Amino acid sequence: MTADRPDALPQPVAPAIPAKRWAYVIPVAAIMYMLAYLDRNNVSVILPYMHGDLELSNADKGLVGGVFFVGYVFLQIPAAILAQRWSARKTVVLLMVAWGLAASLSGLVQTKAQFYAARFVLGFFEGGVWPAVLILLASWFPLRERARANALWMACLPLSSVLMAPLSGWMLDHAGWRWVLVLQGVPPLLWAVVWWFTVADRPAQARWISRAEADHVERSLAADEAAKPSAGSGSYPDAVRQRPVLVLIGVYFFWITGFYGFNLWLPAVIKELTHGGSSTEVGLLTAIPFTVALAVMIANAAWSDRTGSRRQAVAVPLVVGIVALLLGQAVDGALPRMLLLCVTAAAVYAPYGPFWAIPGQLLRIEVVAVAMGLINALGNLGGFAGPYLVGWLTDATGSSVTGFAVLSGFLAVAVALVMLGLRPGPGPGAPREGTDPGKCEPIRRLTKEV
């Protein structure tokens, strides 16, 4: 900033700027989405213990996990636009109430078809939350902080599994699976009240933030926007037709196919390792890989922000995940397989913060909402493909080996797209790596003009 000028030395103060936004915005958003992730993923703990209820085959169980993501597609772009043009705060609170009710009602189903429908409706209402919160964070955290902000919020994904898998297991030991689903739909309804009174759409609207911090954030965000190249005509179709956006959709689809294919079937694999352990035991053991994932996810995001290396921060963990998934099918023994499950979990979670920092570097604020909504909508169809593929292949072959090998193939395609499709430098708005991402935008514009 102005630290190089002698007359600016008495007031240097980027380090002295208050940072209450990290203590207010991130935790409230993280707990909110932790509850969403619980209501999405609790079936992974429940399915191995349904004991023939609803007569679900392995393929049916995969479909129960995957049909959520068919519903998840529909509100991605509408919610992103609402968050951008109306209010992210209000958009999220409406969706929170709707998904909480849908989650509780899913415990009342009586047939397989009703279970599919309930999961679809849950996905429908949860689908708009992710892009709306990304828009909210983009109004609170400048680009140089964006990967860390995203990762700290998205830490709710592994943290939810760390806390809730044991809880779901314990609840299953003391109540039926229907009660688990009904009761776990209640917390979002309560947290909606906290969200409403705590979260603001932007710093200028928050009662708890200092004027100095609000001004600092607003100036930094304005500088980020001024440094970005124009997105053509500025229209949504023009923005999403950009090659990097299309590549990001592909990366996210193939990554998420492997991600959710692994996530949904992890408790079943751990149950197999324990030779039919109780639901409490399986829940506690399931928390271990996600604890490792939480630490690696935050560390990878911090490294990405420090170096500006977004592509490597996405690709390298996925390569590690491929190796761990394949080795996990080749080794024997509960301990080696458990260690490889920990490595795989860390690898598939680690890219989250850096990946979602990339669209904000590529696109201006007026079009980034719909681009992120489209990336999340189409990419999350992998959440349908992954669980169903593993279940169907397990039924067809009598072993999960083929399913997990296929998931490794999907992750390999994601790595190839990241490294070959998102080359730094040549395209408009392409991420420039190896430099501070908050400082590289003017250089990128000059490169483009030359």
Side-chain angles (χ1 to χ4, degrees), residues 143-168:
L143 276 175
R144 70 182 60 203
E145 301 173 342
R146 193 73 52 79
R148 280 167 291 166
N150 288 346
L152 286 172
W153 165 51
M154 295 171 194
C156 65
L157 305 183
L159 185 59
S160 175
S161 298
V162 169
L163 299 176
M164 302 307 183
L167 174 63
S168 296

Side-chain angles (χ1 to χ4, degrees), residues 52-134:
D53 288 359
L54 306 185
E55 299 180 351
L56 299 175
S57 67
N58 284 319
D60 293 332
K61 292 176 181 178
L63 190 57
V64 166
V67 74
F68 171 96
F69 293 97
V70 179
Y72 196 80
V73 168
F74 289 91
L75 288 185
Q76 291 286 319
I77 294 176
I81 295 173
L82 272 179
Q84 181 65 47
R85 296 186 176 180
W86 179 47
S87 166
R89 168 177 171 256
K90 294 175 183 176
T91 301
V92 171
V93 82
L94 291 174
L95 293 172
M96 206 182 311
V97 172
W99 108 58
L101 294 173
S104 290
L105 291 174
S106 66
L108 306 180
V109 299
Q110 299 298 319
T111 68
K112 183 166 37 177
Q114 289 175 2
F115 205 10
Y116 294 155
R119 292 286 298 173
F120 175 90
V121 172
L122 178 63
F124 180 84
F125 288 121
E126 274 196 29
V129 177
W130 183 271
V133 175
L134 284 172

Side-chain angles (χ1 to χ4, degrees), residues 217-445:
V217 173
E218 297 288 354
R219 286 195 306 270
S220 298
L221 293 174
D224 286 343
E225 290 305 305
K228 292 178 186 177
S230 173
S233 67
S235 69
Y236 289 147
D238 189 31
V240 301
R241 280 197 299 266
Q242 292 188 51
R243 181 174 175 272
V245 175
L246 298 177
V247 172
L248 286 171
I249 292 170
V251 171
Y252 202 52
F253 173 82
F254 286 101
W255 164 29
I256 292 299
T257 299
F259 176 90
Y260 278 111
F262 170 79
N263 262 20
L264 180 76
W265 291 100
L266 177 60
V269 172
I270 290 178
K271 183 184 178 186
E272 178 188 331
L273 295 181
T274 62
H275 303 290
S278 70
S279 55
T280 299
E281 181 183 2
V282 170
L284 287 170
L285 289 174
T286 299
I288 295 174
F290 294 115
T291 303
V292 178
L294 175 62
V296 173
M297 181 179 174
I298 294 173
N300 189 51
W303 177 81
S304 174
D305 268 352
R306 188 173 66 251
T307 64
S309 300
R310 304 301 194 201
R311 290 190 313 150
Q312 288 88 338
V314 174
V316 172
L318 293 183
V319 171
V320 173
I322 293 167
V323 174
L325 263 180
L326 293 176
L327 283 178
Q329 309 311 306
V331 303
D332 292 321
L335 181 58
R337 292 186 68 187
M338 187 67 184
L339 290 174
L340 287 167
L341 289 175
C342 291
V343 173
T344 305
V348 297
Y349 274 96
Y352 262 109
F355 178 87
W356 284 109
I358 293 173
Q361 286 182 260
L362 298 178
L363 300 170
R364 298 182 62 82
I365 191 66
E366 59 266 22
V367 294
V368 75
V370 73
M372 288 195 295
L374 188 64
I375 292 166
N376 201 39
L378 299 182
N380 263 295
L381 288 175
F384 172 82
Y388 183 72
L389 270 174
V390 174
W392 180 79
L393 288 169
T394 300
D395 278 342
T397 65
S399 168
S400 62
V401 173
T402 307
F404 283 109
V406 169
L407 295 185
S408 299
F410 276 85
L411 293 178
V413 175
V415 171
L417 287 174
V418 169
M419 298 310 295
L420 301 177
L422 289 177
R423 290 184 178 276
R432 181 181 176 89
E433 298 182 326
T435 57
D436 185 311
K439 298 177 182 177
C440 67
E441 298 292 340
I443 301 173
R444 183 180 308 133
R445 177 187 276 179

